[in-house]
Amino acid sequence: MDISIWQLLLLAFLGFCLVPVFLTGFSTRAKGAEKAGWLILTLFTSWIGYAVFLMVTQIMRGASQRQA
């Protein structure tokens, strides 16, 4: 049961692509249906979707702090 270099590379690539999904899923920046939408976005766009998630939620957080 040897693992080939191709299997190792595929596993590393899948892990790299799924990291943003886990980071979004465990984030406290969004809740409920909003988080589900962000998870779908990051699932299909990976790191680009995660970058957008970080920027948009930071803007929303800043706007809510200014209102309070």
Side-chain angles (χ1 to χ4, degrees), residues 33-56:
E34 183 182 5
K35 185 178 272 192
W38 285 116
L39 282 169
I40 291 169
L41 179 71
T42 56
L43 184 64
F44 288 110
T45 60
S46 193
W47 287 102
I48 294 170
Y50 184 64
V52 172
F53 166 74
L54 290 176
M55 288 186 284
V56 170

Side-chain angles (χ1 to χ4, degrees), residues 15-40:
F16 180 76
C17 290
L18 291 177
V19 166
V21 176
F22 288 113
L23 291 174
T24 304
F26 290 112
S27 175
T28 59
R29 292 177 179 238
K31 294 186 182 348
E34 183 182 5
K35 185 178 272 192
W38 285 116
L39 282 169
I40 291 169

Side-chain angles (χ1 to χ4, degrees), residues 1-8 11:
M1 268 240 201
D2 294 333
I3 187 166
S4 72
I5 188 71
W6 297 111
Q7 291 170 332
L8 188 59
L11 186 61

